[in-house]
Amino acid sequence: MAETATSPDPGLVDALRALSNPVRLQLLMWLREPERHFPLEEAIADPAEVGVCVSHIQARAGLAQSTVSAYMAELQRAGLVKATRVGKWTHYKRDEQRIARLVATLGETL
Amino acid sequence: MAETATSPDPGLVDALRALSNPVRLQLLMWLREPERHFPLEEAIADPAEVGVCVSHIQARAGLAQSTVSAYMAELQRAGLVKATRVGKWTHYKRDEQRIARLVATLGETL
DNA sequence: CCGATGTTTCGGAATTCTTCGATGTGATCG
DNA sequence: CGATCACATCGAAGAATTCCGAAACATCGG
C-alpha cells in the first residue's frame, strides 16, 4: 500500500537539509577517509573504529569550535554520523548504512 | 589527477540546496509521473514530452503563482529540470540524465 | 492595437540559517 | 578539591530563505 506518494519523507528532507551546507557536506566527505584528512599521529583512538574527535575536525575546518560542534550534532540528528565519547573526546564516524540507504532512497523516490 | 577532494563540487551543493526544501522536493517528485499527479485532460501538450505547465503545478502545490515560478526556476538553475515554452505556457520537465548523474555522484563522493 | 491570460521579476515581511563568543557541563590530572 | 581540557549549549548579529502581492513581460484572440 501507500503507493501514492503524498509528501516527502521528513527524514529524507532532514538529511538533504543537513547536506545542503557546503561545510557540513565537506565534513561528511572528510570522514570517508579519516586517516587521509586528519593527523593519524594525534589520534587518541582508531579513526576507522570510533571516528574523529571534534578538535581535529575543527582544526581542519577552520571554524569556531561551537560551530563545528553544532554542525556535527546536526549531521547526527540527520542520521548521517554516529557519536562515541572516549574520555573527554567525542568522536564522530559516518553511519555508512544510513548513508547508503539515503542514496538508495534518492535513486528510487527522487 | 585531482584525486584529493578539496572542497565539494559547487554544482552538487546547488542541487542539494534546491532539494533541501520540502516543497521543491515534492515538485520534482510529482514530475516523475506527471500523468499521475496532474490533470491530463487539461494538458495543452504531452506531459511526457514537454512536461507540466506552471499553472497546474501551482494548483497542486497551493502556493502563490510567483512562488512556484521562482521554485521551478531554482530547480532549473540547479540542473534538475528543463523548461520549454509552448505558447504562453512554460512547461517544466525533469532532466533525468542530470538527476541520475547527481544520484551517482552522491553514491561515489558522499 | 486591446484586453485577457500565463509567467516572470521585484520589493518586502517573517522566518530560518550561519557563525561567533561566552558560558555551562563533564572528564581528567595533580 | 581545583585547574584544565574537550565539548555542548546559549544568545546574538548578520545573511539567506520562504513566501506573498504588485508590477512587468510575453503571448494570444479578437
Side-chain angles (χ1 to χ4, degrees):
Chain A
M1 278 288 90
E3 40 85 69
T4 308
T6 49
S7 67
D9 169 29
L12 179 62
V13 176
D14 288 346
L16 288 171
R17 279 179 29 71
L19 294 173
S20 71
N21 175 293
V23 176
R24 285 190 299 263
L25 181 58
Q26 176 74 88
L27 299 185
L28 199 66
M29 286 168 64
W30 280 340
L31 288 179
R32 259 167 60 106
E33 294 128 340
E35 56 288 329
R36 192 185 189 79
H37 298 286
F38 301 97
L40 188 54
E41 325 80 65
E42 299 174 12
I44 192 69
D46 181 17
E49 182 87 24
V50 314
V52 182
C53 71
V54 177
S55 334
H56 293 167
I57 301 176
Q58 189 239 322
R60 189 89 158 83
L63 292 175
Q65 190 266 329
S66 60
T67 302
V68 174
S69 177
Y71 278 178
M72 294 315 295
E74 197 168 347
L75 286 173
Q76 187 183 18
R77 276 194 303 275
L80 298 168
V81 301
K82 288 179 291 190
T84 315
R85 183 134 201 181
V86 179
K88 39 183 179 177
W89 295 273
T90 303
H91 295 250
Y92 285 97
K93 183 177 61 162
R94 289 163 55 98
D95 188 336
E96 298 293 357
Q97 290 198 4
R98 298 282 303 266
I99 292 174
R101 205 144 56 88
L102 167 66
V103 174
T105 301
L106 281 178
E108 293 160 13
T109 76
L110 176 63
Chain B
M1 277 282 92
E3 40 86 72
T4 309
T6 48
S7 66
D9 169 27
L12 179 61
V13 176
D14 288 345
L16 288 171
R17 282 180 40 67
L19 294 173
S20 71
N21 177 292
V23 176
R24 284 190 300 262
L25 181 56
Q26 176 73 89
L27 299 185
L28 199 66
M29 286 168 63
W30 280 340
L31 288 179
R32 260 167 60 106
E33 295 129 339
E35 56 288 330
R36 192 187 189 76
H37 298 287
F38 301 97
L40 186 53
E41 326 80 66
E42 299 175 14
I44 192 71
D46 182 19
E49 182 87 24
V50 320
V52 182
C53 71
V54 177
S55 334
H56 293 168
I57 301 176
Q58 187 240 323
R60 189 89 159 86
L63 292 175
Q65 198 264 342
S66 62
T67 302
V68 173
S69 176
Y71 279 176
M72 294 315 295
E74 197 168 345
L75 286 173
Q76 187 183 18
R77 276 193 303 275
L80 299 168
V81 301
K82 288 179 291 191
T84 314
R85 185 134 200 178
V86 179
K88 37 184 178 177
W89 294 274
T90 303
H91 294 249
Y92 286 98
K93 182 177 62 163
R94 289 162 55 99
D95 188 336
E96 297 294 357
Q97 290 197 4
R98 297 281 303 266
I99 291 174
R101 204 145 56 86
L102 167 65
V103 174
T105 302
L106 281 178
E108 292 160 12
T109 76
L110 177 62

